[in-house]
């Protein structure tokens, strides 16, 4: 593997913010806006303008003093930086409520991601389709589906007790990255990255906000 | 409202990390571990030790040099800081796949949060229950449920096109904080905070990682 040390690898928190900026820029572009300043981005979307300038500085000069960023050009750079200028195939493991919801989630099956199938071990679920017509295939087909469709990403939407073994099967099948929705820590292999989504975090953030209000703290 | 300016209000990114630390400490406590150093926390859970020390420094001195943090004491402080030492009632709007999945999501109905009901405008869904026995009530009951059960948090799990009007109804009914899963920006009222969960961000973060690997960048 060739290394390109001159390109800085940005942290997961930064990629999260880049995704947010990308969402904002897409909205502005759809409204016909050509340029935007970091201050306007911050004001419109409740972000931090200094943080925006710092994050975007990693990608070279986009801002023109007094004019701001070129919306379309910056958007394209973010798309390329995040690697969503190409399409990646995805499978979802678990066709329960969560798996079905994710299969039809707007944004999971567009602009760089293509959900090939759900897989489930329950024969009653196999043969169904999601509302967006994504088929539920038998769990035993995992290796075949991953190979034939060149699946790169697996999404775990099974109960916590099965998450680790599903991860192992995904890794064995050749999937390179895993998004885990099961509320459990996955022991990772070196070459198969896991990103876990803990939905409770967002609730706790709201709780923090409510507590401050109850305690009379001004935010 | 009394203000207590001496208490620093921490940012949303920090509360997110506090939630992560809390999850780690709960796991360590369940395994009988009494103390932990920032370095051990970092190593075991793939976190940044300097960031941990910085975040926890906000809450006074917990660490003892050479010994580390007292697991149970630090956990209790994080629980109190996040305001989950009391119980908050929650309703979910939308009893589709996503709403049903969230109703039964481990962590949404424990330790500080109690899901009272799902509400849906579709008469076919009303009267059902989630697997965890949370009832689906008619949408028209919103005000009554919020008042009678003193609901503080509303979760939006409806299509994007309806998210804003659901937000308005929640705010009118007296809900103080909203967790939005619809992929759309909500225009907020001053007193009813919204936190939006964009599940696509996590996929983009994995894409960034895959792209670096494809380009031969060592992370």
């Amino acid at each position: 593997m060739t290394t390109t040390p001159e390109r800085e690898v940005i942290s997961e928190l930064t990629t999260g913010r880049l995704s947010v900026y990308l969402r904002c820029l897409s909205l502005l572009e759809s409204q016909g806006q050509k340029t935007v300043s970091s201050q306007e981005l911050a004001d419109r979307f409740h972000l931090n303008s200094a943080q925006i300038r710092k994050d975007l500085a990693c990608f070279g000069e986009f801002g023109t003093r007094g004019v701001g960023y070129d919306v379309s050009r910056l958007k394209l750079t973010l798309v390329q930086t995040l690697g969503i200028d190409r399409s990646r195939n995805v499978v979802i493991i678990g066709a329960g409520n969560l798996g079905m919801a994710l299969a039809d989630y707007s944004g999971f099956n567009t602009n760089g991601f293509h959900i090939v199938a759900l897989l489930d071990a329950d024969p009653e679920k196999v043969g169904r389709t999601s509302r967006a017509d994504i088929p539920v295939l038998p769990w035993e087909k995992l290796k075949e589906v991953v190979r034939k469709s060149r699946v790169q990403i697996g999404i775990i939407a099974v109960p916590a007790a099965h998450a680790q073994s599903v991860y192992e099967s995904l890794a064995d099948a050749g999937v390179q990255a895993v998004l885990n929705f099961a509320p459990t820590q996955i022991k990772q292999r070196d070459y198969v990255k896991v990103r876990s989504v803990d939905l409770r975090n967002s609730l706790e953030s709201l709780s923090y906000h409510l507590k401050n209000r109850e305690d009379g703290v001004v935010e």
Side-chain angles (χ1 to χ4, degrees), chain A residues 89-104:
Chain A
N89 286 341
V90 179
V91 288
I92 297 174
I93 313 303
N97 283 320
L98 182 59
M100 285 299 207
L102 294 174
D104 292 344

Side-chain angles (χ1 to χ4, degrees), chain A residues 5-63:
Chain A
E6 74 276 9
R7 197 166 97 192
E8 200 183 343
V9 175
I10 54 180
S11 78
E12 211 155 82
L13 282 177
T14 310
T15 65
R17 289 196 300 271
L18 297 187
S19 292
V20 171
Y21 303 154
L22 177 56
R23 227 70 75 232
C24 300
L25 291 165
S26 298
L27 184 68
L28 294 177
E29 191 181 53
S30 75
Q31 294 169 347
Q33 191 165 332
K34 301 294 184 204
T35 59
V36 66
S37 68
S38 51
Q39 192 58 53
E40 188 187 351
L41 264 182
D43 292 344
R44 281 201 51 176
F45 300 102
H46 314 286
L47 304 168
N48 178 321
S49 64
Q51 179 81 65
I52 294 173
R53 283 191 295 275
K54 195 176 153 210
D55 287 336
L56 299 183
C58 302
F59 309 108
E61 270 312 314
F62 288 99

Side-chain angles (χ1 to χ4, degrees), chain A residues 22-192:
Chain A
L22 177 56
R23 227 70 75 232
C24 300
L25 291 165
S26 298
L27 184 68
L28 294 177
E29 191 181 53
S30 75
Q31 294 169 347
Q33 191 165 332
K34 301 294 184 204
T35 59
V36 66
S37 68
S38 51
Q39 192 58 53
E40 188 187 351
L41 264 182
D43 292 344
R44 281 201 51 176
F45 300 102
H46 314 286
L47 304 168
N48 178 321
S49 64
Q51 179 81 65
I52 294 173
R53 283 191 295 275
K54 195 176 153 210
D55 287 336
L56 299 183
C58 302
F59 309 108
E61 270 312 314
F62 288 99
T64 311
R65 198 172 289 272
V67 178
Y69 304 105
D70 180 308
V71 170
S72 300
R73 204 170 128 228
L74 182 54
K75 186 188 154 194
L76 182 64
T77 304
L78 293 181
V79 164
Q80 290 166 339
T81 302
L82 290 166
I84 49 178
D85 50 349
R86 53 208 96 172
S87 185
R88 301 182 192 285
N89 286 341
V90 179
V91 288
I92 297 174
I93 313 303
N97 283 320
L98 182 59
M100 285 299 207
L102 294 174
D104 292 344
Y105 184 77
S106 156
F108 264 31
N109 209 8
T110 53
N111 297 325
F113 303 105
H114 171 59
I115 298 181
V116 173
L118 297 121
L119 291 104
D120 203 293
D122 178 355
E124 288 214 358
K125 289 184 180 142
V126 171
R128 295 185 192 172
T129 57
S130 79
R131 262 182 237 168
D133 252 353
I134 297 165
V136 180
L137 304 179
W139 168 239
E140 295 73 31
K141 293 260 186 190
L142 178 65
K143 279 201 170 168
E144 188 185 327
V145 172
V146 169
R147 195 184 63 241
K148 280 196 181 159
S149 299
R150 300 184 180 202
V151 171
Q152 289 189 288
I153 299 176
I155 298 180
I156 298 181
V158 301
H162 300 124
Q164 185 69 43
S165 71
V166 166
Y167 171 81
E168 306 294 346
S169 301
L170 284 167
D172 288 343
V175 160
Q176 295 161 46
V178 169
L179 189 59
N180 171 42
F181 280 90
T184 184
Q185 211 202 357
I186 303 268
K187 200 168 165 301
Q188 301 189 32
R189 299 189 193 173
D190 275 349
Y191 208 68
V192 185

